[in-house]
Amino acid sequence: MPDHPNSTLGLFAFGQSNSDFHTAGPMIHHTDFEDPRIVTLNDAAGIRGHLGHEPRSSSDGFCQAYFHQAERPLLRDMQSNGIPCAAHILRHLHNADTMQICVRSESRGSLGLLGRHLNKGGGITGIYKDVDDALAQPFLNLAETIRTCWQFAKDSNAPMRKAFIRFAHGEADRGMTRVEYFEIARQMIADLQSFIADLELDLHWLILEPAGTDNEGNGNAWENRKAMQDLADTHDNIHMVGSGYGFELEDKVHYAGPSKILIGELFGQAICDILQAPEASANLTWPRPTSFKIEETSVLINFSEPVSLHKGISDPYCTVDGFSFRRHPELLKSVEQVDDTSVLVHFDAPLRLKPDDLHYAFLTFSAKRMESEPSRLPIGRGG
């Protein structure tokens, strides 16, 4: 490893609590996370950033991210997804020996994109705009953090030419339509690009689709989820990295420590794919249902990419290999994989099926049910 890096990769996070804001843990140790090439700003905020507030401390350079976190009582039990993401990139990216990666979040939990007025008076800010339509503090913190990291990298002769924003958001705006969320998010991304235009920084957004992580467990009905893929389909520098399903939760909302490592590696692999094949970056894909065909007693589901059906997943409410039929669960008979991109679900009788009747790895929230029949499946998650 060289004594001094000759380039810096920006690795930022923005969004709600699952975007390196919440302190769910435990903090898991691995020697790769201690890599001195993984750095953060050396102010008191560290990897979590200013948490949506006006900055209360300033930095004058970079420091090693892992030990900066471990030395702080309020952070040492938190697992980030940023450090595992950086470690994955350094481990798998070709010619990464001379690179350092700056990790930092500027997220804020529970906030939508826009501020909103409260019924009792006053208001609550968004991550992008405040109630008075002014740019919100989380957004301003993100813009300033990018600019600060870029300047420190330049001053240390390790310039930052590329940066990625890991974006995990959507729950707070679950009432928005697909079009509304798309337009607001598109403008937010354009505004950030304008803020840093003079840096000539190649900035990419990586989106993790929201996974219905709310107490009501109704994430499958969120129209704004569909806007995530729309953003990726219409912008060369916005990419869907996958769905947030299937990861263990610490509670009803937040990812547990091991899940954060897996999500970090998911982001990291997407970044490696983009950096190593930039001409194909706009075609970064992930498996998702594209169509279904209803026969008399079966449903054929087609996917955009190869999938593998995991047999044997059982649960009191997901009765057949992880699938459940909401209206008549007793009619669900069997599931078979037809080919790499198709799955066939069989029923015991002819049926009239609506698109939202069939679920996979999905459990609707019920406190009584959770007490009497614990499930391995996360609440409110599934497809």
Side-chain angles (χ1 to χ4, degrees):
M1 185 182 302
D3 293 335
H4 184 79
N6 62 19
S7 67
T8 301
L9 181 70
L11 189 57
F12 308 105
F14 193 54
Q16 290 184 231
S17 53
N18 275 322
S19 195
D20 265 3
F21 173 84
H22 193 266
T23 56
M27 184 178 179
I28 299 169
H29 175 265
H30 193 283
T31 53
D32 284 359
F33 301 163
E34 299 179 10
D35 195 311
R37 295 171 295 173
I38 303 175
V39 299
T40 191
L41 295 178
N42 64 4
D43 56 10
I47 61 171
R48 288 181 77 204
H50 298 295
L51 309 181
H53 303 297
E54 290 188 15
R56 300 169 185 170
S57 60
S58 59
S59 55
D60 57 12
F62 295 131
C63 64
Q64 197 168 341
Y66 180 86
F67 292 108
H68 184 274
Q69 178 188 350
E71 291 167 357
R72 281 157 174 74
L74 295 178
L75 295 179
R76 65 168 62 116
D77 293 328
M78 167 197 171
Q79 178 60 55
S80 79
N81 68 55
I83 291 176
C85 178
H88 185 93
I89 295 168
L90 292 174
R91 189 165 62 245
H92 294 284
L93 184 66
H94 303 318
N95 303 319
D97 286 349
T98 60
M99 173 191 293
Q100 70 178 357
I101 301 179
C102 181
V103 178
R104 177 85 159 196
S105 174
E106 290 295 354
S107 302
R108 176 72 184 179
S110 304
L111 300 184
L113 296 178
L114 302 180
R116 57 187 175 86
H117 293 282
L118 301 177
N119 292 333
K120 296 181 180 180
I124 184 170
T125 187
I127 63 170
Y128 168 41
K129 292 275 186 82
D130 210 334
V131 289
D132 60 0
D133 203 39
L135 293 172
Q137 194 62 50
F139 178 88
L140 295 174
N141 290 345
L142 176 65
E144 186 58 31
T145 285
I146 293 173
R147 184 172 292 279
T148 299
C149 291
W150 183 91
Q151 189 62 55
F152 287 158
K154 179 183 178 183
D155 293 345
S156 61
N157 295 317
M160 179 189 296
R161 299 184 180 92
K162 286 184 178 289
F164 292 85
I165 296 176
R166 308 181 321 280
F167 186 63
H169 188 267
E171 295 94 328
D173 282 328
R174 55 185 175 270
M176 272 193 187
T177 67
R178 177 179 186 172
V179 172
E180 286 173 331
Y181 194 91
F182 173 86
E183 289 298 334
I184 296 168
R186 180 192 62 77
Q187 188 58 54
M188 176 185 71
I189 291 168
D191 281 352
L192 181 65
Q193 196 67 47
S194 296
F195 257 67
I196 61 170
D198 60 304
L199 304 183
E200 298 184 353
L201 178 67
D202 184 12
L203 181 64
H204 291 252
W205 291 70
L206 303 176
I207 300 177
L208 183 73
E209 184 191 42
T213 52
D214 74 324
N215 291 349
E216 291 80 24
N218 60 2
N220 282 20
W222 299 353
E223 276 294 307
N224 70 340
R225 289 176 55 204
K226 300 175 183 177
M228 309 294 176
Q229 187 63 49
D230 294 340
L231 288 164
D233 289 341
T234 53
H235 297 76
D236 289 342
N237 68 329
I238 304 177
H239 318 274
M240 284 291 299
V241 300
S243 171
Y245 297 131
F247 296 102
E248 177 189 359
L249 299 177
E250 184 200 51
D251 49 30
K252 300 180 184 70
V253 176
H254 303 105
Y255 292 122
S259 297
K260 291 184 178 183
I261 291 178
L262 293 173
I263 290 169
E265 292 187 337
L266 178 65
F267 278 121
Q269 187 56 53
I271 291 171
C272 287
D273 292 343
I274 292 169
L275 291 178
Q276 290 173 165
E279 69 279 0
S281 61
N283 298 318
L284 194 65
T285 57
W286 59 289
R288 63 188 188 277
T290 56
S291 64
F292 66 95
K293 181 179 180 182
I294 302 175
E295 302 291 351
E296 188 172 341
T297 59
S298 64
V299 178
L300 179 68
I301 306 172
N302 298 308
F303 294 85
S304 61
E305 302 293 320
V307 295
S308 178
L309 179 65
H310 293 275
K311 305 290 287 185
I313 298 176
S314 62
D315 180 272
Y317 294 89
C318 299
T319 53
V320 180
D321 293 330
F323 282 87
S324 59
F325 184 42
R326 187 178 65 177
R327 289 186 293 150
H328 299 288
E330 72 280 359
L331 295 181
L332 194 56
K333 180 180 180 181
S334 64
V335 184
E336 66 172 301
Q337 183 142 5
V338 179
D339 54 39
D340 286 349
T341 59
S342 301
V343 170
L344 190 62
V345 183
H346 297 279
F347 295 85
D348 267 336
L351 70 156
R352 296 179 64 186
L353 187 71
K354 296 188 296 183
D356 60 347
D357 282 336
L358 189 63
H359 293 284
Y360 181 76
F362 183 79
L363 181 63
T364 302
F365 174 69
S366 165
K368 183 177 180 181
R369 176 187 297 173
M370 292 305 295
E371 292 173 3
S372 61
E373 298 183 72
S375 168
R376 293 190 304 117
L377 298 173
I379 297 169
R381 314 293 285 287

